Amino acid sequence: MQQTEKIELLGLLPHELTDALQPLGVPKFRAAQLFRWMHRQKVADFDQMTDLSKQFRADLQQQFYINRPNIAQRLASAIDDTVKYLCRLSDGNCVEAVRMVYRHGVTACISTQVGCRMGCKFCASAPLGLVRNLTAAEMLGQIDLMDAEFPADQAVTSIVLMGIGEPLDNYDQVLRFLRLLSCKEGRAMSLRHVTLSTCGLVPMIDRLAEENLPLTLSVSLHAPDNASRSALMPVNRKYPLEELLAACGRYFRKTGRRLSFEYALIRGENDSRRDAQRLADCLKPVFPGMRPHVNLIPVNPVGENGFQAGSAKQFMQYLSEVGVNATLRRTLGDDIKAACGQLRRNAMEDDSHESRE
Ligand code: SAH
């Protein structure tokens, strides 16, 4: 039987797994056992599920499969514990994931799409466009492959959806991933430890607000006015700043959770005192009476785009003068170019060189 005709199991919620196993005629608790093997022990091979009968394992082998990516390339930082993975998916496509060690735990930065169609001018993934959405199993699999390399007490404790792709452009699979992640029969991770980063797809922000999940929503702002934001991020032409900020306000009122804002500092583009003032004017109405919070990221130059990082220290000073809190994103794994998208980009360039030779 061809693999494509088999049913993938890692992406199924517990009740769906029970339904999928129905034709095999096994008792219901077998589905629960299988779920635990996949999501707690993170076993990829049915033969390692030693408390399942031989017959059951043979049936599973024949009709089902578990679709986890494997490691195509691993880059470990020599200056901190950051490890960057190029993950190969079953169809040969690759995405990136990064494991970062902080004092309070281990964070996985994972991808949600192969490529992206949002076209942000500073981003390494934009020029290559969108190839396809990742499945929930492929998102979980990125975390599993990291955990498989470390002892259990160094397992991933928080997750940021800040790798390749726009999570809200792959809404259904991302939601499925979040449900699987927080499922009490599986990893049972609290969604308080998850941050979803978006370039600002307004209708999807409203839809996410309705789900009432305790995750942190982070909005990639990067510019404080429509003209400069549209020049950097084409999505702004469809959902301009005033609509985006209104949606952020609705999200906050509906969920009670404060959003964070990302701001990639680009020298001469968005780093002046006037930009800081306009940023404050944008953000203050979103959370009346509270100091807004911005995460500053010195822009990572990509390819030939000519962008250079602005001075974070200077911009932070400007922001504090206008009443906005800011943190500078700690740059981990500087030596391995942990900036997302660049590893896949390089791998694809290598491939195209090879095929030309
Ligand atoms: N699509 C989501 C997740 C993308 S990556 C989003 O737009 O939020 C996570 C963050 O990295 C985003 O804020 C993104 O704008 C930023 N980013 C992308 N390329 C960058 C670069 N070259 N330098 C600095 N930040 C970058």
Side-chain angles (χ1 to χ4, degrees):
M1 194 186 276
Q2 293 265 309
Q3 172 135 326
T4 47
E5 293 165 16
K6 295 184 179 183
I7 298 173
E8 203 289 315
L9 293 181
L10 185 63
L12 299 184
L13 289 157
H15 69 278
E16 295 169 333
L17 187 61
T18 308
D19 291 349
L21 296 183
Q22 199 90 45
L24 298 187
V26 291
K28 273 196 178 156
F29 72 90
R30 292 285 178 216
Q33 265 178 312
L34 182 56
F35 194 86
R36 280 197 299 274
W37 273 116
M38 290 190 294
H39 292 268
R40 292 223 181 130
Q41 272 77 38
K42 295 149 202 165
V43 161
D45 190 341
F46 297 124
D47 274 335
Q48 290 172 285
M49 304 179 177
T50 43
D51 58 358
L52 306 182
S53 76
K54 272 213 162 110
Q55 182 57 52
F56 183 31
R57 281 187 267 160
D59 289 345
L60 286 172
Q61 206 81 52
Q62 219 186 10
Q63 300 177 40
F64 303 95
Y65 70 107
I66 300 170
N67 187 12
R68 284 202 178 89
N70 54 44
I71 301 174
Q73 200 183 332
R74 176 196 295 100
L75 285 183
S77 167
I79 48 177
D80 54 47
D81 293 324
T82 304
V83 185
K84 185 163 190 174
Y85 299 90
L86 187 66
C87 311
R88 189 181 295 106
L89 310 169
S90 53
D91 64 355
N93 276 304
C94 287
V95 292
E96 288 173 36
V98 187
R99 181 182 183 277
M100 293 163 285
V101 181
Y102 293 91
R103 221 167 303 134
H104 54 267
V106 177
T107 299
C109 173
I110 64 159
S111 295
T112 54
Q113 295 182 309
V114 182
C116 184
R117 56 180 180 144
M118 297 297 134
C120 299
K121 293 289 181 283
F122 43 80
C123 179
S125 298
L128 306 167
L130 176 68
V131 177
R132 69 168 174 88
N133 284 331
L134 291 191
T135 63
E138 289 168 330
M139 294 176 217
L140 278 173
Q142 294 171 60
I143 306 162
D144 293 345
L145 65 78
M146 295 177 189
D147 281 353
E149 297 212 302
F150 293 87
D153 64 346
Q154 293 168 40
V156 168
T157 49
S158 60
I159 291 165
V160 294
L161 302 183
M162 293 190 183
I164 298 170
E166 166 51 45
L168 296 186
D169 190 36
N170 182 14
Y171 190 91
D172 292 344
Q173 289 298 317
V174 165
L175 257 280
R176 173 175 287 275
F177 162 73
L178 295 173
R179 298 224 156 88
L180 284 164
L181 199 61
S182 55
C183 195
K184 65 179 190 314
E185 299 89 337
R187 274 185 177 265
M189 183 182 274
S190 161
L191 295 184
R192 291 183 189 282
H193 302 302
V194 177
T195 300
L196 186 156
S197 179
T198 179
C199 64
L201 299 179
V202 166
M204 295 296 144
I205 292 175
D206 284 328
R207 196 169 155 197
L208 188 65
E210 294 300 317
E211 315 272 355
N212 235 322
L213 302 172
L215 53 79
T216 300
L217 184 61
S218 187
V219 173
S220 298
L221 216 53
H222 303 325
D225 63 81
N226 279 323
S228 41
R229 193 166 190 269
S230 293
L232 290 173
M233 304 175 70
V235 67
N236 194 71
R237 289 186 215 127
K238 190 152 186 202
Y239 305 113
L241 263 177
E242 53 283 3
E243 284 181 32
L244 173 57
L245 295 165
C248 293
R250 290 193 293 275
Y251 188 91
F252 175 56
R253 289 190 294 278
K254 172 86 190 155
T255 64
R257 297 195 56 85
R258 285 179 73 169
L259 301 81
S260 60
F261 296 92
E262 284 151 282
Y263 197 90
L265 275 173
I266 309 174
R267 194 185 302 167
E269 295 273 341
N270 63 4
D271 64 342
S272 68
R273 188 187 288 274
R274 189 155 163 260
D275 290 319
Q277 179 62 59
R278 286 189 296 193
L279 188 55
D281 296 342
C282 278
L283 295 182
K284 285 189 172 166
V286 180
F287 315 112
M290 291 178 223
R291 279 172 84 98
H293 190 101
V294 174
N295 287 316
L296 297 178
I297 326 166
V299 80
N300 264 299
V302 169
E304 316 274 276
N305 71 15
F307 290 138
Q308 288 179 7
S311 159
K313 205 169 152 218
Q314 172 85 85
F315 199 69
M316 261 172 135
Q317 177 60 35
Y318 295 153
L319 284 178
S320 83
E321 287 164 17
V322 292
V324 174
N325 292 342
T327 42
L328 179 59
R329 173 88 57 82
R330 245 179 89 200
T331 43
L332 292 178
D334 252 356
D335 56 332
I336 53 167
K337 279 266 157 267
C340 275
Q342 307 208 6
L343 200 58
R344 169 172 177 257
R345 198 181 146 109
N346 293 343
M348 289 185 57
E349 280 168 6
D350 289 350
D351 279 356
S352 63
H353 288 314
E354 271 163 32
S355 58
R356 264 185 266 133
E357 275 159 16

